[in-house]
Amino acid sequence: MNFKKIIVGTILTSGVVIGILLAVNYDKVEHPDSQENFSSKPLTSSNGHHKVNESTGADKDKIQPSAKVEQPTQNVAQESGKTNLYTNPQANFSFKPPISWNGNYKVNQYAGADADKILPSAKHVVQFDYATKDGKSSETLLMISVFTKTDWTRLSSEAGPPVGTSIAESNDMVYVYTTPQSNPLDSQSEDGKLFDQLYGDLNINESFALLK
């Protein structure tokens, strides 16, 4: 009798154990808790709101391109100082030097016999000379000469380099301008560079005018 009770008890105990094992395995199948499924869940902050576009640790190590900021275009202010207007009533013309010439040139004017010594047959000669920084020398930036029409026609027909270029005619007189063929100064020196700049700023058609 006792032997039968032991067998029955063993069978019951085995059934309970098997039942427990089956229940545990069933719960794992229905509610997996793997790392893969966890990482697929949306990240949330401590207040329960979803985090949007939050960088991971790997992304933080990458250099993010900075946003391009368009800078407003700024106009460069131009020098507004007044230029010195040169007028020569005897020769009947005026010349307005570029603003950049201010303080960098001097004027030498000649008439009659003195003009003829500078340029044969000229009635008037006006030289606008660049003054070097040390004040020891000067070089001509521009020369304006006045000839009679007859003399200019003769000079223009002669062989050799031209005296200059005609810019205007008035009352049987011809106005001629002459500029240097090259920089007479060392182009790498301060004076040479400024000479080139001043010459480049010259626009004879805008600067020259006959007096009314």
Side-chain angles (χ1 to χ4, degrees):
M1 187 67 174
N2 290 334
F3 179 74
K4 289 181 179 181
K5 289 181 179 181
I6 293 173
I7 293 175
V8 172
T10 301
I11 293 173
L12 292 175
T13 301
S14 299
V16 172
V17 172
I18 292 172
I20 293 173
L21 292 175
L22 290 175
V24 170
N25 289 332
Y26 178 79
D27 183 66
K28 288 184 178 181
V29 172
E30 288 296 320
H31 304 286
D33 196 17
S34 64
Q35 182 64 32
E36 180 181 357
N37 288 337
F38 177 80
S39 63
S40 67
K41 296 179 183 180
L43 297 175
T44 58
S45 62
S46 59
N47 60 8
H49 295 161
H50 293 298
K51 295 182 179 180
V52 180
N53 297 332
E54 181 171 307
S55 300
T56 63
D59 291 335
K60 291 179 181 178
D61 292 334
K62 298 179 181 178
I63 299 176
Q64 300 297 327
S66 58
K68 184 178 180 180
V69 179
E70 296 293 340
Q71 297 293 339
T73 303
Q74 297 180 351
N75 295 326
V76 179
Q78 300 295 325
E79 184 178 356
S80 59
K82 295 181 179 180
T83 187
N84 296 319
L85 178 64
Y86 169 82
T87 58
N88 189 323
Q90 291 181 335
N92 193 44
F93 78 89
S94 67
F95 175 75
K96 185 178 182 179
I99 293 176
S100 60
W101 284 30
N102 288 355
N104 294 310
Y105 76 100
K106 60 182 181 179
V107 179
N108 295 309
Q109 60 185 35
Y110 309 89
D114 291 333
D116 185 77
K117 292 178 181 178
I118 301 296
L119 204 57
S121 299
K123 303 305 179 185
H124 297 276
V125 173
V126 181
Q127 294 176 325
F128 297 86
D129 295 341
Y130 168 76
T132 57
K133 295 299 183 181
D134 58 12
K136 295 181 179 180
S137 63
S138 61
E139 296 291 346
T140 300
L141 279 165
L142 171 68
M143 181 169 65
I144 298 177
S145 310
V146 185
F147 300 88
T148 64
K149 186 176 293 187
T150 301
D151 286 337
W152 176 247
T153 301
R154 175 179 53 81
L155 290 171
S156 299
S157 62
E158 292 179 354
V163 175
T165 303
S166 173
I167 188 174
E169 293 186 14
S170 177
N171 299 325
D172 200 39
M173 305 298 286
V174 180
Y175 295 80
V176 177
Y177 76 94
T178 308
T179 54
Q181 296 182 348
S182 61
N183 191 336
L185 302 169
D186 180 2
S187 60
Q188 299 302 315
S189 67
E190 182 181 359
D191 282 317
K193 291 178 181 179
L194 184 54
F195 186 95
D196 280 338
Q197 177 188 337
L198 301 184
Y199 176 76
D201 291 340
L202 173 64
N203 187 327
I204 189 66
N205 293 316
E206 293 182 357
S207 298
F208 178 89
L210 293 173
L211 297 180
K212 296 180 181 179

